[in-house]
Amino acid sequence: MICLYLPTLNMFKTQCNGPSLMWTLDQMQRPCVFTIGHQMNNRSLFPSQDMPKAMSTWHCNVTLANDWKNFNVITTGETLPEKFQVKDDETVYHSFNSYPMPAATFALAIGDWSSTNMTALINTNIKENNMPSCVVYSPLCLHDQTIDQLCQYLPHCFEALYSTLGSYPLKHLTIFIAPACFDSLGMACPHLLILSQSLLCPDLSMMYRVAHELCHTWFGILTGPKDWTEEWLTEGVCCYLEDKVHGIAMKWNPYEYQSRCNLRSFMKYRLLLSEISNTPEHLQTLRPNADDSVQEPNFVKNGLDPEKTVIQVHYLKGFFLLRHLEQKAGSDHFLSALKIFTNQQLGHLFSSKDFLHFIFKQCPNLGKTGLTVDQVCKDWLDSSGLPQELDTMSSELCSPYIQDIYDQVASIKLSKSLNRSVGKKSKLSHNILSLQLIPEQQVLFLDLLVEDSVTLSSNDFKELREIFQISTANPEVQHSWCELVISQHATRWLDDVRTFLIHHQSMGVYLYGELMISEHSAFQKLAFDCFSKVEKFMPEGTLQTVKSMLFPS
């Protein structure tokens, strides 16, 4: 039973079948429950959420029966939940929040997990540099790698956050590795970070998403949009900041930082092109209530649209708008303005125009270019499709990391064409072994093989799988590998697709569609088999999206 107390409401109890709560099994096959409020706005858990300004303090009592009395209770309270026993067969955990927060930011998790106080493991010199006290919870089978990777990354990430945004505004942080059915790579809540197991990667290449979620502390938790439909103000801004923070945290030198950031921007541009071509026009605008901006909206538009939960247009267009403004304003001026804005806005809500007017005031170079707030709103926020400026920006995303991949794919295509004409077999390893590709390059390489329909032999697939070490690779690389396997009906590697769909459920949604479109019986059977294994624990939005692919009307 979960009881919540709000100053404006009487005590109420949740129902077990409310879609904001996910009752499931963790990676150790133990029962647990956690919130998936990022999709449903927690309405079945925490009522009165019609407007962002409807904020409240709260107290929460979680009562556990005897069977669960030793389980961990994680909430978004200011301190870790306090445990006290009411009866022999019941244990109560109490937590609270003394400052007003939007109800949609409340989160909860209960389960039998291992925990570690990260603060005790971190070097003292780094702790002094603005890292809050931190406790990590995860299933036992993932705990060692979770602690090892977060110990390597978090201290440097908080140093980077400090230099980019200022002092971390919360006193403590709980990090929780969610069950495999979690349908996002990460979700930030007050004092709590819920992360997917897909972020655990030995080379830390997926930790950029940790940087993204921590940036939400400033943009999304302690500040946020007046109108929830203007989510680019949180997701777009954090998408922009993640590369800044991650690059500093990874200690990239200036050349490596610029090259990698350009490569990541280029990958985002390619993804945005794909999103635009596959997303309904009404979901491509970043300020859908622009016509109603004179009065505050009192409803959530598309709040329960399952299609919206899997699109990234608001992330990507927001990212490129900020990159565009940074180029016009000058990087140092723009980042300084962003830092000042966060410090002044903590605890307040704002609109797109509030944000843009502030940035223009702080960055005089923006006005000198002839750019205006109204023009930015018209071209970037209120229109579907790609802004014209984005075409120019895309040509500026040059990087040797990018060119190397295009050269290699072109070389492979030429080699295969020549060898076919003389009846010889070519070896991929001659082309790519010497490059030591980083994960983003591997993704681009595999994606171009799919796009250019480069026909690969069975030996080619075997070589690629060994060179990229697919079984332990970055999950984004694994995803591109699965797309290549599906596109060429490479049935020998069907198990790689099966493993990905089971272990990286937040990333594999569209693979179901590709399996079905392949019109290959073995691949379609795989889609139905994997769905039958995970269907029971799929969140509602994901479930409906996958069903529409498997059972089109």
Side-chain angles (χ1 to χ4, degrees), residues 145 149 197-207 472-475:
Q145 61 179 306
Q149 291 175 32
Q197 65 183 29
S198 298
L199 300 191
L200 300 176
C201 193
D203 63 3
L204 308 184
S205 57
M206 292 295 291
M207 287 289 163
T472 57
N474 173 314

Side-chain angles (χ1 to χ4, degrees), residues 284-300:
Q284 294 182 27
T285 58
L286 303 188
R287 204 169 62 124
N289 288 333
D291 295 338
D292 305 320
S293 57
V294 289
Q295 69 176 59
E296 273 187 25
N298 56 9
F299 62 92
V300 179

